Amino acid sequence: MADEVLEKAGLLAAYDDQLRTDSEAIGASARVRVGPLHLLEFPGERGFVTYRDLGEGSDEELRARLVEWVPRVLEHFRERGVRHLEWKTRGHDRAPGLHDLLLAHGFEPAAQESVMVGEARLLALDLALPDGVTLRRVHEEADVRAACRMLDEAFGDPVSERTAEALLLRLASGDGTELWVAEADGAMVCAGRLEPVPDSDFAGLWGGATLPPWRGRGIYRALTAARAHSALALGRTLLHSDSTEFSRPILERAGLVRVTTTTPYDITL
């Protein structure tokens, strides 16, 4: 048990040190600081709030700062013409009163996800696929749009071109982002991204989902293994993922550790 606690603490420290603020600002068109908060703008009139921590002080002092910061953040993004704003929180942060404060200002919490972190080699396995299912990395526009439509369906979201447009921009930028898909009978049934984090040991597993009729057959696990192999080839020894309850057990069985939780709070301005 002591070794497990130490392992989790070390992985959480790596997550905090390497994956917050600067790495989250990759691709941002603008960046402003309000105290410890990093206010980021991205294409598509999207805003994002993150931080490494909220600083020292008593709970009362931190609460008083947040009472000041939240309206300043909203005012800043409204003045900048941002329409869709996300405030990203983590379960292990000390942020007294933040939940109630965000709700009072019109934010709505999305579903809580598990932050999974671990060694890429644990997932880089050679796994068999079901008969008729194949994996490949895609980058052509038609494939990217088809994958994003499939992912919207898998997540139960309305089909939108916005995700595809943003992903096409990232793939064209040469930042290392990869999109992997699994296909059966010529149709995409599972997809997910690999996003190497510059100047870090990490690559992120993002956007992974499988259509309901194809779940439980090992396809997502094989797609994750392919991405883990690619991460190692890129020199990234650690993987991280904000996981739903569909993907968390798969990553956990492979050896990744649930180091904390994350809850995004969203608002339309």
Side-chain angles (χ1 to χ4, degrees):
M1 181 63 71
D3 288 343
E4 291 178 4
V5 171
L6 288 173
E7 178 190 23
K8 180 177 178 178
L11 292 172
L12 179 58
Y15 171 82
D16 280 337
D17 291 342
Q18 298 187 44
L19 295 179
R20 300 182 69 167
T21 64
D22 288 348
S23 67
E24 294 170 293
I26 297 167
S29 56
R31 180 176 182 176
V32 171
R33 292 285 298 273
V34 172
L37 308 179
H38 293 244
L39 281 52
L40 310 175
E41 291 178 47
F42 292 92
E45 300 178 326
R46 295 182 299 119
F48 187 78
V49 181
T50 188
Y51 41 89
R52 170 62 174 78
D53 58 61
L54 294 173
E56 301 295 330
S58 66
D59 283 359
E60 291 75 16
E61 289 169 331
L62 286 180
R63 190 177 293 110
R65 293 175 203 156
L66 287 166
V67 167
E68 174 193 350
W69 290 334
V70 172
R72 284 179 60 188
V73 166
L74 289 170
E75 180 181 7
H76 166 80
F77 281 116
R78 286 192 176 107
E79 289 177 350
R80 297 285 299 177
V82 165
R83 293 285 298 153
H84 310 282
L85 176 60
E86 176 185 331
W87 187 304
K88 188 176 180 71
T89 69
R90 278 82 167 190
H92 68 290
D93 285 343
R94 189 162 70 95
L98 179 59
H99 170 79
D100 292 336
L101 192 58
L102 291 175
L103 294 185
H105 282 83
F107 285 86
E108 295 185 1
Q112 184 184 90
E113 295 184 329
S114 298
V115 177
M116 307 298 295
V117 178
E119 295 183 58
R121 65 175 181 82
L122 298 175
L123 276 72
L125 306 174
D126 295 319
L127 301 175
L129 286 161
D131 289 343
V133 177
T134 58
L135 298 180
R136 65 185 176 109
R137 179 182 167 190
V138 300
H139 53 82
E140 297 294 337
E141 180 175 349
D143 287 332
V144 173
R145 292 190 183 278
C148 289
R149 287 193 294 270
M150 184 278 297
L151 287 168
D152 283 338
E153 181 182 348
F155 283 120
D157 296 329
V159 174
S160 168
E161 293 300 314
R162 192 173 71 181
T163 302
E165 296 290 349
L167 182 52
L168 284 166
L169 286 173
R170 291 205 64 178
L171 292 170
S173 74
D175 68 357
T177 296
E178 300 177 359
L179 177 61
W180 289 78
V181 301
E183 295 170 302
D185 299 323
M188 295 181 186
V189 299
C190 179
R193 305 191 310 277
L194 178 75
E195 298 185 3
V197 180
D199 303 316
S200 82
D201 300 316
F202 282 94
L205 301 173
W206 293 103
T210 308
L211 291 176
W214 293 89
R215 291 172 186 165
R217 305 191 194 187
I219 298 173
Y220 177 81
R221 190 176 177 216
L223 187 86
T224 300
R227 289 182 287 170
H229 279 293
S230 188
L232 288 170
L234 294 169
R236 301 305 194 275
T237 58
L238 295 174
L239 294 173
H240 73 103
S241 174
D242 291 355
S243 298
T244 66
E245 286 306 292
F246 288 113
S247 56
R248 179 195 57 77
I250 299 171
L251 298 179
E252 213 161 39
R253 286 194 296 270
L256 268 63
V257 177
R258 184 178 187 260
V259 297
T260 187
T261 59
T262 180
T263 304
Y265 288 75
D266 301 308
I267 189 171
T268 300
L269 301 176

